[in-house]
Amino acid sequence: MEVKNSIREILLKYMRANDMSYAKFTEISGINSGSLSRILQGSRPISVKQLELITGALGLAEDALFGSYVEECFAFFASMRRIRPFIIKCAVLDRLDCIERIVLRLLDNLSYVPALFDVAEELFASKHHQAAALLYDNVSKAEKFQHSERLAFCRYRLFLVELGTDLESNYRAAMVFEDYVNRLHEADQLEALKRLIDVLVTVHKWKRVDELAAEMLRISQIQYDLQAVGGSEKQPERPIYFYILYAWLVRSAVCEEYKDYPGALKYVSLYAEAEWIREKDQSAARYKKQFSEWAIANGYLYRVMSGDAQAIDEYADFVADHPEEIFIALSQIVQAANQFGYDIDRILERFSDYFPFKEMAGEQGQYNVSVISEKSAQFLSDLGVYTFKKNQGNAINLILEGLDFSVNINSVRNVITCMTLFEQYRDYADQEAKKKFKKLASEVHRINAKKNVVPLSFV
């Protein structure tokens, strides 16, 4: 088959310019003479491995011939056996432009959709998230009228790729994905619901958090019962019992937010003891231990938040033996101190090394980064309020630090809180603090102006 291709033209030109025989180029490139002859005659396609050898022999940048190789992918027939390694190579070298050209041409034939989805999954697993997102997005567009599970899973992966440090951006991504979550396989729904809940907690959408936790509980309990009699071959990312425990934990947090401490304690009692878990392996033991410890900690917390001053030191003594819980406990104790007028100077002094927050892994890993970021922003403003009566200057600095942090993570709720507090305490601020506030306020206005022109969807 006669195929005109710029890679062949470049190669022939190089060989002629250097008066190079087939044998010589074979020697410097490592391509055997028979393959080289067939490549130059245009009787066989160039493999990705051969592309690498040619590029190296010509002394070119690793991706110099990628644009031309896109055409090579379609010069004979579109074989995923050749295209797949090229897409992966493009992902490694951040040549998303080449991936996009290939994908758009492939999807003229929808029979390539399953293969492209598989490549996207491979890229996602190897953490080439932007390249994977390009594939997921195009596959989802190709399947938009199918209402398929694959379409829903593409939207789920796109949601995960979009998650970052910007809390409002995370929330917009969650809103786009939420319409697809119930189309996922139930095993995938459980982790997807957890990820949605974690995002919604950071923007304090507590009613919806509770609804999603209730749905997680319903699905996980059904799946756990089915598992006992054989169940589904497809399993969720974590053990099914984890989602039951997590749903109760989340629902207790919702009750806490609404100051329904008896309701919160009802859920605490459910995840405190998990003897109903059938599994007896190390993973089950770790999860049971972790949730039991959270139950103890939250039992102290709800006493503190109910106005029991004596529980503060008991709570502090407990978390002292669980360093990964100290920052969370401090943030809650400061809130309670502001509400009930507790003196917690001794607590702040005792745990002064733990703020600002430092990442610490517990039995089941670190806390969700976005949740902790939002907690950190709120902690700074709450600590500013607590400190104000004793040290106005330090309080102002804490509030400004909280505002700066809130702007960086785009936490609208905490931005408003910090700006409101600064205006309340403005008379105590010096010129330097006022100048810093003005600069941060300008940044807030810039972000808000940008929101007016940026579409909510990331599609």
Side-chain angles (χ1 to χ4, degrees), residues 36 112 210 340 349 459:
L36 179 62
Y112 287 103
D210 196 44
F340 297 106
E349 176 62 28
V459 188

Side-chain angles (χ1 to χ4, degrees), residues 288-341:
K288 288 166 71 172
K289 180 174 181 287
Q290 179 70 86
F291 278 90
S292 175
E293 289 175 353
W294 280 336
I296 295 169
N298 286 336
Y300 288 127
L301 168 63
Y302 300 146
R303 286 174 57 196
V304 171
M305 299 303 290
S306 299
D308 182 352
Q310 182 180 341
I312 294 176
D313 289 295
E314 295 175 33
Y315 189 18
D317 289 340
F318 176 79
V319 298
D321 293 327
H322 303 83
E324 72 279 4
E325 302 294 332
I326 289 174
F327 178 77
I328 296 294
L330 278 175
S331 64
Q332 303 285 15
I333 289 171
V334 171
Q335 285 185 37
N338 289 338
Q339 181 178 352
F340 297 106

Side-chain angles (χ1 to χ4, degrees), residues 201-372:
V201 164
T202 67
V203 290
H204 295 252
K205 302 296 181 181
W206 294 106
K207 183 175 184 296
R208 188 59 180 144
V209 165
D210 196 44
E211 292 169 350
L212 294 178
E215 179 65 1
M216 177 193 287
L217 183 61
R218 184 189 70 80
I219 294 171
S220 56
Q221 288 178 326
I222 291 172
Q223 290 296 304
Y224 199 57
D225 289 342
L226 288 173
Q227 189 183 68
V229 293
S232 170
E233 289 185 6
K234 187 167 189 178
Q235 295 298 312
E237 187 172 320
R238 309 171 206 243
I240 296 174
Y241 58 76
F242 166 83
Y243 299 100
I244 297 173
L245 295 169
Y246 194 77
W248 285 331
L249 177 69
V250 170
R251 300 200 78 179
S252 71
V254 173
C255 290
E256 173 196 338
E257 186 66 22
Y258 291 135
K259 302 189 187 307
D260 176 13
Y261 300 115
L265 287 170
K266 180 189 73 173
Y267 288 114
V268 167
S269 68
L270 292 174
Y271 64 78
E273 299 294 337
E275 297 308 314
W276 50 269
I277 293 176
R278 294 186 297 270
E279 290 78 358
K280 304 300 180 185
D281 57 13
Q282 289 184 350
S283 179
R286 286 196 303 271
Y287 277 121
K288 288 166 71 172
K289 180 174 181 287
Q290 179 70 86
F291 278 90
S292 175
E293 289 175 353
W294 280 336
I296 295 169
N298 286 336
Y300 288 127
L301 168 63
Y302 300 146
R303 286 174 57 196
V304 171
M305 299 303 290
S306 299
D308 182 352
Q310 182 180 341
I312 294 176
D313 289 295
E314 295 175 33
Y315 189 18
D317 289 340
F318 176 79
V319 298
D321 293 327
H322 303 83
E324 72 279 4
E325 302 294 332
I326 289 174
F327 178 77
I328 296 294
L330 278 175
S331 64
Q332 303 285 15
I333 289 171
V334 171
Q335 285 185 37
N338 289 338
Q339 181 178 352
F340 297 106
Y342 297 148
D343 184 332
I344 58 167
D345 288 358
R346 66 195 183 284
I347 304 296
L348 295 175
E349 176 62 28
R350 180 178 182 180
F351 297 123
S352 59
D353 289 341
Y354 292 86
F355 59 89
F357 174 73
K358 299 179 180 65
E359 286 188 357
M360 287 193 172
E363 288 282 347
Q364 304 303 331
Q366 297 172 347
Y367 277 97
N368 177 280
V369 173
S370 295
V371 172
I372 286 295

Side-chain angles (χ1 to χ4, degrees), residues 147-188:
H147 300 284
S148 66
E149 185 180 316
R150 184 162 52 224
L151 166 63
F153 202 83
C154 284
R155 302 314 306 178
Y156 175 39
R157 290 298 200 213
L158 286 167
F159 163 60
L160 295 180
V161 169
E162 282 293 302
L163 295 180
T165 58
D166 186 318
L167 303 190
E168 287 300 308
S169 177
N170 291 349
Y171 177 50
R172 290 193 294 272
M175 292 302 93
V176 172
F177 168 60
E178 195 174 349
D179 289 340
Y180 296 90
V181 67
N182 61 1
R183 301 187 203 175
L184 292 170
H185 187 286
E186 288 192 331
D188 296 318

